[in-house]
Amino acid sequence: MGEFEVRSSLDHCVKCTVCESACPVAGVTELFPGPKTVGPQAERFRAGGHSPDLSVDLCSGCGVCSRVCPHGVRIAEINSRARAELKREHGVPLRDQILARPGLMGRVARPLAPIFNWALSNSTVRWLGERTLGIHHLAPVPRAAARPFSSWARRHRSLQSDRRVIYFHGCSTEHFEPELGKQVVRILERNGFSVLIPKQDCCGLPLQSNGLFEPSRRYLTRLGRQLSAVDGESLPVIASSTSCGLMLKREGLEILGLRDRRLVGVSERTYDIFEFLAELREREELVTDFSPVRLTVAYHAPCQQQNQVIGKPALDLLAEVPGLRLVEMEQLCCGIAGTYGIKREKYDIAMEVGKPLFADIADCAPDLVACDSETCRWQIAKATGLTVVHPVEVLYRAYGGI
Amino acid sequence: MSHDVVVVGAGLAGLVAGIRLAQAGRDVAVFATGYGGLPLAPGVVDVLGYVEGPVTAPARELPGFLAAHPDHPLARIDSGALAAACRWFLGLVAPLGYQGTMERNLFLPTAVGALRPTALVPETMAAGDLTQGGSVLIVGIQGCRDFYPQLLAANLAAAPSPSGSRIEARAVQVALPGNVGSLRPQLLARRLEQPQVRAELAGLIRSELAHEERVGVPPVLGLENAREVWRDLQAAVGRPLFEIPTIPPSVPGIRLQALLTRSLRRVGGRLVTGASVVGGDGIGGRLASVRVASAAREVEVRADHFVLATGGVATGGIVVERGGGAREVVLGLPTTAVDLQPDPLSEYFSPRAGDRLGLAVDRLLRPVDRQGQPVYANLHAAGAIVGGAVPWREKSGNGISLATGYAAATAILGELN
C-alpha cells in the first residue's frame, strides 16, 4: 500500500471508534483525543499541511489503531504523516534530532562506553539531561557496548553453505546489544545457513517517528542498497529488531512513500528472525534438538512485532523447548514506543500505558522476561527490575549455548 | 502455516466459534482485518426483540417467527443450538456475571432512553429492567462524555413500560472532585476502579436520592473488575443500581471483547488482527488454504476447516456493487442478492430488497451455490454474513452471531470426531 492508498484509506472510516477503544494512549490520558479524532477526523482540516491542533504529537505511533480497525484504515500511518507536517511547521527540538539518530549516538557513545554508561546512571547528569534536553531523568536508556557488533562480524567466518541469508542487525545490536547479534548468527548457522552481514546503517525509523521524513528517506534508501542482492542473488533478509524490520517491510513504503526498486525488493524478502525460523519448522527443516531450559519466562509481543502481522512465532517455537514455562502476556503495549516514553513530557503517559503489563509481569514472577523489541526491553527492565531478553536468547539457551 | 481450523473475522461469531473449537482441543487461529463490533455495542445479547411489536418472551415467539422465515439463520441450524449456545455463553462470560434466559426479555434503557428488549445482560446492567415500570434516578457525572441524563430521563418517562405501567425518571448531575473538562467513559471507568473514587461517587448519589427505587449511572463501573465496582457502589448507595450504555465506544462492550479475546488465548487459540484475508484456494471441493496479508507479503495459511465470520454489508464481509448485485469479499462466494435497485420512494425504515442479503447456507452453515450445494465441504459461515435475517429490525444480531458461531463449531467438531 503506497502513499496515496494510505491517505485515501480514511474514506473507509465510518467513525466507529474501535480504534479509540483500543488505543493505549487514549486509554490513559484525556490529553490525547484518540486516533480517530486526530487522524481521519482531523485530516479534513489539514488542507495545505496545516494541522488544527498539536495533539497528534501525543500519538505514540504504536500502530494498535491500524491493527484493530475493521475497515482497514491506515490510522497510525496517516497520523505519522500528519506529525511530520506538524514538525515541519513548528520545528523539531534538538533532543528529537539527537534521539532520532541512534546510529550517530552509538558511534559517539561507544568509544567512550565507560564514561557514557557512568554518565547515564548518574542522577545529576540525568537531572541536567532533563532540564537541558528534555530527556526524562527516569527514562530507560541503553548501555553502550565496549565493542560494536560489526567488529565481531568482520572477524567472524560464517559457515560455508549454499543456503545463504543476509542479517540486518540494526543500530541497537551494533552499539548496545552485540551479544544478540552473535546469537542470531549462531542460531542461523546451526540451522545450516551461511550468514552474510553487509555493512549497514540506520533504517531511519526514529527519524520517521520524530517527523524527520527527508533524512529518514535517505537513510532507508541507503539501507535498501546495502542489503540488496549479493552476487546477483536475492537472499532473504533476516531482522532481529522488530521495529526496524517493520520499517523495511512496510513503513518505508507506506509512510515515507518510497518506491526505490532495491528497497521494494528487500522489503519483500525481509523476515523477522522468528518468522523465518517458524517457516523452517513448518517445512520440518528446523533443528529442534533442544536442551531443557528450566525457567519461567514471561513473553511480551511488542507492538511493532504484532504490526508485522505474523502472529507470535516466538511463542509457537519456544513452546517446544523442554522444561521452559513460557507465559504469554496479554497487554498490548509497554508504553515506550521507541523514543516516545523517553521524552520528559511523555514519560508519565508511557509509564501509565505500561502499568498493566508491568503488573501482569510481576504477577507471573518470571525468571526472565522475553520481548522482541529493544526499546521495549529497556522499558520493561527499568519498570520491573527484571532481566529482559530477546526471545532469541531463550532459543540460544535451548540450543545449549551452541 | 497450518492449523486445524482457521477462523476469518473476530467479531462475536468468529470469537465464539474459535473459543469453542479451541476448548475442544483444536489448534485454532483467528485472522481478522480488525476487531469486530463488540467494543461499539452495549455488550448485551439480543435474541429476538421485535416481531410485530416488542417481544417479551423470545422462546415462545421464536418457533412461529422461524416458521414464517424459513431462510432465517436461526431456522437453518439445529433448533436447540440457540439455547445451547446461550447456556454455553453464560458459562464462558461468568466473570462478568451475565444473566438472563430466552424465556423472558429484559427491557433495558438505551443511550437515548428507549427500551431495548434483550435476553442476556451483564450483571452491571440487569437492574435496569423496566418491564414492570418503576421509578429511576438517572445520575450523570459532570464531564462524562456521551451520557445525557436529562434526555434519558425525559425519554424514559415519555412512554409506558411494556406492561403498561408508568416509568418515573428524574435526572441529576453530580461532580466528582477534581473532574474538569470532558472525560471519556473508559478513563472514568479506570478511575472508579479505585475504592475511594467510588466511595465519593456513592456519597454524591446518596445526597441526591429521594424516593427513587433504582439508580441508573453511565457505564463507567471499572474496566477490569466491573462486578466488584458495581457491587461496592450499589451497596454504598443502598438501592439497586445499573449501568446504561453510551453511544460508541461502549465500556461494557469493551469488557466483553477483552474477556472473549482473553478466553480464546487461554484455551490456546491465536488471534491475529490487522490480518486481512485476501483470498483462498480450493482443491477437490475443499478449501485448502487462505491467503493472509502480512506486512511484507501474502502468507498461505492451510487448515482442515474454515469459519468465515467477516460480517455482512455493514462491516465489509459483503460489498454491494454499484448498480445492483453483491459480492462476498474474501472468497467470492455467491450471495443471496438478486435485486438491489434502491427504491427512492420507500421510507427510510421500510423493508428493502437487500435487507436479508448474505450467504445462503445449508444446515451445517456451509455456504451453498445456486443449486444448493456446498461450495466447499469444509467451509462454514457464521454471524452477520449469513443471509436471511434483518437483525436491526428483529433485534437479533448478537443472538444470530452467538448461535451460528456455536453451531459452526458444532458442525466442525461433528465432522472431526
Side-chain angles (χ1 to χ4, degrees), chain A residues 102-120:
Chain A
L104 186 66
M105 260 195 303
R107 275 199 293 279
V108 173
R110 214 189 4 75
L112 309 165
I115 300 168
F116 176 82
N117 293 337
W118 169 83
L120 288 186

Side-chain angles (χ1 to χ4, degrees), chain A residues 16-18 20-22 26-30 32-33 67-72 246 249-250 267-268 270-271 275 282 307-309 311 315-316 328 330 352 356, chain B residues 1-2 32-36 39-40 145 182-184 186-187 190 248-249 254 262 265-266 270-275 292-297 302 314-316:
Chain A
C16 74
T17 71
V18 161
E20 310 230 325
S21 77
V28 299
T29 176
E30 201 60 51
F32 183 57
R67 210 167 73 227
V68 302
C69 174
H71 299 282
L246 184 64
K249 279 182 168 188
R250 187 167 71 190
S267 164
E268 286 164 358
T270 298
Y271 293 80
E275 177 189 19
E282 179 85 12
N307 292 346
Q308 296 198 16
V309 194
L315 204 61
D316 298 330
E328 180 183 10
E330 294 175 338
E352 198 61 31
Chain B
M1 264 189 284
S2 63
T33 300
Y35 287 171
L40 312 178
R145 220 188 282 172
S182 135
L183 207 50
R184 273 190 287 275
Q186 262 169 287
L187 286 173
R190 270 202 158 202
I254 293 169
R262 193 179 306 150
R265 213 175 283 131
R266 292 197 177 164
R270 282 262 177 282
L271 172 62
V272 187
T273 64
V292 180
S294 84
R297 59 200 147 256
R302 291 185 300 280
T315 43

Side-chain angles (χ1 to χ4, degrees), chain A residues 34-71:
Chain A
K36 178 201 71 166
T37 309
V38 302
Q41 213 135 291
E43 192 66 13
R44 65 188 129 146
F45 299 111
R46 292 199 185 108
H50 177 76
S51 216
D53 78 341
L54 306 179
S55 60
V56 71
D57 189 44
L58 285 173
C59 160
S60 76
C62 70
V64 166
C65 48
S66 294
R67 210 167 73 227
V68 302
C69 174
H71 299 282

